[in-house]
Structures are given as C-alpha cells and as structure tokens.
Amino acid sequence: MPLGGLAPAKVQGSDSWDIALSGSFLFWNVMQENMGIASMQTAATPPSAITAYQKTEFHPGFTASITTSLGTDHWMGKGKYTRLHTRTDSSTAPPPGGSMVVNPGFTSPGAVNQTASFVISSFQLDLDQIDLCLMRPSYFSSRLIFTPFVGPKFGFIDQKLRTEVTLVGSTEELPTQFTTDTWFIGPRFGFSLDWLIGYGFSSTSSFGASLIYQSQRVRGDLYDTTDVTDNSLDLLQYYRFFKPNWQMSLGAAWNSKTLGDAVCIKLFASYEIEYFSGQNVAKAAALENFFTNTQTDNISILLGDLVFHGLKTGLQFDF
C-alpha cells in the first residue's frame, strides 16, 4: 500500500472476469407512524386509554445485484433491485366493559367520536426499488477496506389500507379504503467498511443517505353514514415532497476461492434498517378532505415515517 494513500482493493479470483452476481433473502418488518385505527378506554377506575394500531409482522423479500469493473482506476459500477411485498390483517374490539372510538377519517365526513363494536383492517405495502452507484474500494489500512459510493435511487411504494367498521347499535360493516401510489427518485451517497478478520472472515457495515423527490397519489373510498342516498365518497389527492431517506447495515461475511481460483464465493448476513420520511399521506388526505376547517385546525396532521428493518442473508459469486 502506498504510504499516505489508499491502495485499490478487490477480492476476486486470479482469472477474474471482473463481475460479481449477488442474491439475498430478506426477512423485514414494516413499521409506519400514524397507523392507529381506534382509541379504547378500559372499564377500570380511573379508566386508561389504549390505541389500537395496525398489526406489524416480518415478511420475506429479496434483493438481486450485479457489480462490474469499469476498467478505469479501479472504479466499479453496481446495480441492486430490492423487492418486499407485505400484507397484515388486524381485528379490534373494545376491552370487556370498555369502549372503542374509531379514529377520524375511517367513517363519515365530519364524524368524530363514533363508537364502534368491532373493526377489521387490512394493510398492504409493496416496495420495489433500484439503487445504482459508482464506487472505488480502497485499503484504508492493512485490514480495513473503505468503499465510498454515489449514484441514483428510484422506485415505487404502494400502500392500501382497508377497514370495515361496525358501529355500536348496528350490524352493518362500513367499508373504507385508502390507496397510496408513490414513485420516488433522488441522489444517493454513502460508504461501506469491511474489516478483514482472517481465514476469509470479515465484518461489514455500510451507511447511505438520499434526498428523494416523491410524488404520491391518494385515492379513497369512504362510507358516508350521514347520507343514506349515497353511501360512497371518493377522494383523489396529490402530494409532492422532497424527503430524506437513509439506510444502515451491520453484519459479517466469509470468502472462499474455488474452481482453481477462478471464482470467489462470499456468504454474508447482516441486520439492516431503511428509513423513508413522510410516507403515510393517506391519514392527512382523509383529514384534509373530510373534516371542516375548524375541526382540521384542532387535529394534528402528521404524514408519518416508514421504516423497514430486519435480517438480510445471501450469496455472492465473484468471477
């Protein structure tokens, strides 16, 4: 390694084609703010308040990527596709002897403090995104490989929340559905660190950040309990923002050469987290469209952030 500088670094076979193919399995949890469906009070004295949220679960997904040498000063290019499609179902009833009030936006326009005996909800979220980057792996010390990267990030996030509310004193299920279609694009930059432990083992970590432009379309179908002649209300709202996005990972890997040193196999596992700001626009759209100005002024409209986190494990072939 040159004194006072960074030496290029790349682990590969001796007869390398300068290309790497990677696939990984995701087991991620999806968490989004402002997903409260109803507010409940217990029968205790004094009563305690409980918020019923949409259930969160871990779901499977995958990534696929390709990395290749650009043939100039050890610069490399990488493209990665991430897919995670999820769905959770919840049902909520008031506690024994207690009461349950449906959160604003899930029944009829201007209706607040409507008590319900049962609420069923289904939430579907689909993430499809592509990350492209230029990077240059370099030795920061004899064991530490530092890899800065920069490139574009773009993709789609589609959400659908459907609720069926049964009000107290009624047996009719009042359906509501909000669908949010989002596309986003923006620059992404960051770095990764690989600490070479020995015997092919290494620890890995990375951090990336983006400022993405996102365009969101919200469509709503709301049951109107105040109009017996027309029980369907349609909503169409558009939102456009610049919002931050960031990702972090921490894990370990193991490399092994095979096929006469022509191929390098890498096994890896990591914990990852990815954050998107301002994704839950359906609640804001419901409040803006179905409440009077006076009522809306008294309600805090928060967009709600979206977080993915969980396990990533996979296999990479360097040719």
Side-chain angles (χ1 to χ4, degrees), residues 78-158:
K78 181 177 181 179
K80 183 178 72 171
Y81 167 67
T82 302
R83 183 185 191 273
L84 184 72
H85 289 196
T86 72
R87 173 174 171 165
T88 58
D89 298 303
S90 300
S91 58
T92 305
S99 61
M100 179 171 65
V101 175
V102 182
N103 282 1
F106 290 117
T107 49
S108 58
V112 294
N113 298 327
Q114 289 193 309
T115 57
S117 58
F118 199 67
V119 178
I120 299 175
S121 57
S122 174
F123 178 58
Q124 180 178 331
L125 187 145
D126 298 338
L127 168 69
D128 294 273
Q129 70 177 4
I130 293 178
D131 296 298
L132 303 176
C133 68
L134 293 174
M135 57 187 183
R136 186 182 186 274
S138 303
Y139 276 106
F140 197 73
S141 70
S142 60
R143 290 185 175 273
L144 182 63
I145 299 177
F146 172 73
T147 307
F149 59 80
V150 63
K153 177 187 189 74
F154 56 93
F156 303 91
I157 300 177
D158 298 325

Side-chain angles (χ1 to χ4, degrees), residues 177-304:
Q177 179 170 291
F178 291 100
T179 301
T180 305
D181 300 316
T182 303
W183 64 264
F184 60 87
I185 187 170
R188 175 174 174 261
F189 61 92
F191 64 89
S192 65
L193 295 174
D194 296 270
W195 181 262
L196 306 180
I197 299 173
Y199 301 100
F201 291 95
S202 62
S203 64
T204 64
S205 60
S206 67
F207 175 80
S210 306
L211 180 62
I212 58 176
Y213 171 80
Q214 58 188 36
S215 176
Q216 297 165 299
R217 181 182 66 177
V218 180
R219 293 173 296 173
D221 182 16
L222 183 67
Y223 197 97
D224 184 4
T225 58
T226 66
D227 185 352
V228 296
T229 62
D230 183 6
N231 287 328
S232 179
L233 294 172
D234 293 325
L235 174 154
L236 181 62
Q237 187 76 15
Y238 291 90
Y239 295 86
R240 295 175 179 86
F241 302 104
F242 283 96
K243 291 292 183 178
N245 159 263
W246 56 264
Q247 320 89 41
M248 293 180 62
S249 70
L250 180 64
W254 176 74
N255 292 278
S256 176
K257 293 183 180 180
T258 185
L259 299 179
D261 286 349
V263 178
C264 179
I265 298 177
K266 180 179 181 180
L267 302 175
F268 57 88
S270 63
Y271 170 79
E272 298 203 349
I273 181 170
E274 181 156 6
Y275 165 90
F276 288 89
S277 174
Q279 291 299 313
N280 191 2
V281 297
K283 177 65 71 69
L287 297 180
E288 287 181 347
N289 284 270
F290 295 127
F291 284 84
T292 65
N293 292 333
T294 301
Q295 290 171 317
T296 302
D297 290 341
N298 296 325
I299 297 174
S300 176
I301 300 178
L302 300 176
L303 295 178

